[in-house]
Amino acid sequence: RGRGRAVIFAGYVSSPGATTEEIVYFDIATSGTSLRFGDLGVTQGATGGAVASSTRAVYGGGWTSPGIDISYVTIATEGNSIDFGANRNSSKGKGSYAPGCGNATRGIFISSQNHPAYYGNTDFVTIATTGTCTDFGDNTNSRYGGAASASPTRAIYAGGVVGATSPGTNTISHCTIATTGSWADFGDLHNGANGYRYTNGSSSDTRALVYGGNWTSPVVDGPEIAFITIASLGDSKDFGDAIKSGTHRGGFSNSIRGGAAGGYYPAADYNTIEFVNIATTGNGIDWGDLTTTRSYNQGTTSDSHGGLSE
């Protein structure tokens, strides 16, 4: 169907220590090196969230002041992003570390951070239109930097950062995408007794992955991949190990393959793209490389993720 493209909006390069406004893309089913898509047409910076239908990807938030803008691209073509509308809830921070997920109609931006404050609010957009975010409801606790994923009906948010001292959490929560309201408890990450943060997610329409991240007390960057069955409730289970340990990676999927792009560990960015086959278990497989080393890739999505079953 001409689908299977992952898009990464913006990022951060630790040397020389600067945000990149570049958008890149790659074909998930093949392997190689990512390609240039364009640039952010609206100044947003890294760490915003991305949602997508089969045709359009929307990038919301980011840490560049005022950081409340939204822009979008048509996934099948290349070019700079276009203004979508106002505010990733300007009263609740800049939308930093706010991952996105959703289905073919609605995209949800989950929680946010505006140092030193952090928020549990979630907002949504109707992807095919343009305009301002609408309040969805509050998550089960105030946290940011967790892993977002979805089936066509249910959104999942796992782990994250809570508190001004940045402890992690192993909480998993869920909501029904078509409704609005507060999120509910799903279970716990089985491998995050000390909290699991700065991780990323991907999914098919039945299974969600939590890929990489780190723990606190003490801080340890881990390669662990966990999975859950989206339609049920309960704790995650072990899937395998990623090729690269680290944080601030970009989660993607084409509903068959799920993986992570770029990241940060232990004191520098890297350009590795890796994947696993979501329906099985096992360790990460090398896909190829990003064109540049980059982290803070929360603004990653695709035109064929688990929320798009058609």
Side-chain angles (χ1 to χ4, degrees):
R1 299 182 185 179
R3 290 166 55 188
R5 176 178 282 191
V7 179
I8 304 176
F9 292 88
Y12 182 80
V13 180
S14 57
S15 179
T19 296
T20 174
E21 301 278 304
E22 184 183 41
I23 307 169
V24 298
Y25 73 97
F26 56 90
D27 185 336
I28 300 170
T30 63
S31 59
T33 302
S34 69
L35 300 171
R36 176 178 168 79
F37 189 100
D39 293 312
L40 292 179
V42 177
T43 301
Q44 293 175 259
T47 74
V51 299
S53 67
S54 60
T55 57
R56 175 182 282 189
V58 180
Y59 182 58
W63 64 23
T64 302
S65 180
I68 56 175
D69 293 304
I70 312 168
S71 63
Y72 73 95
V73 297
T74 301
I75 300 174
T77 63
E78 288 82 57
N80 296 344
S81 67
I82 301 167
D83 183 56
F84 182 97
N87 98 46
R88 246 293 287 141
N89 201 334
S90 59
S91 66
K92 297 289 182 70
K94 295 192 295 185
S96 297
Y97 302 104
C101 63
N103 58 21
T105 303
R106 177 177 285 187
I108 301 175
F109 298 110
I110 306 171
S111 304
S112 63
Q113 184 254 12
N114 185 4
H115 186 77
Y118 53 98
Y119 304 95
N121 63 292
T122 61
D123 307 313
F124 74 91
V125 294
T126 301
I127 297 171
T129 66
T130 57
T132 303
C133 275
T134 302
D135 182 64
F136 184 95
D138 292 332
N139 217 311
T140 52
N141 55 5
S142 296
R143 54 193 162 115
Y144 63 93
S149 55
S151 71
T153 57
R154 176 177 280 183
I156 301 292
Y157 189 52
V161 183
V162 295
T165 56
S166 298
T169 179
N170 64 353
T171 300
I172 307 172
S173 56
H174 72 97
C175 71
T176 301
I177 299 171
T179 65
T180 58
S182 298
W183 294 54
D185 183 65
F186 185 97
D188 294 320
L189 290 170
H190 73 284
N191 56 354
N194 293 319
Y196 207 69
R197 60 185 192 166
Y198 303 126
T199 183
N200 66 89
S202 60
S203 65
S204 66
D205 60 355
T206 58
R207 177 181 279 192
L209 302 182
V210 180
Y211 213 110
N214 70 12
W215 293 272
T216 51
S217 302
V219 174
V220 177
D221 290 291
E224 288 80 4
I225 308 169
F227 77 93
I228 60 173
T229 301
I230 298 174
S232 64
L233 302 179
D235 297 345
S236 71
K237 298 179 181 179
D238 181 64
F239 187 98
D241 289 336
I243 294 173
K244 297 286 287 187
S245 298
T247 59
H248 304 297
R249 310 188 74 185
F252 64 85
S253 83
N254 63 1
S255 296
I256 298 171
R257 289 181 169 183
Y264 182 85
Y265 174 85
D269 301 314
Y270 52 82
N271 64 352
T272 302
I273 306 174
E274 58 178 288
F275 73 93
V276 294
N277 293 309
I278 300 174
T280 65
T281 58
N283 296 335
I285 301 166
D286 184 62
W287 183 95
D289 296 318
L290 294 171
T291 50
T292 59
T293 58
R294 56 196 284 175
S295 60
Y296 294 86
N297 295 318
Q298 284 87 346
T300 302
T301 189
S302 77
D303 60 7
S304 47
H305 57 76
L308 309 175
S309 63
E310 73 278 10

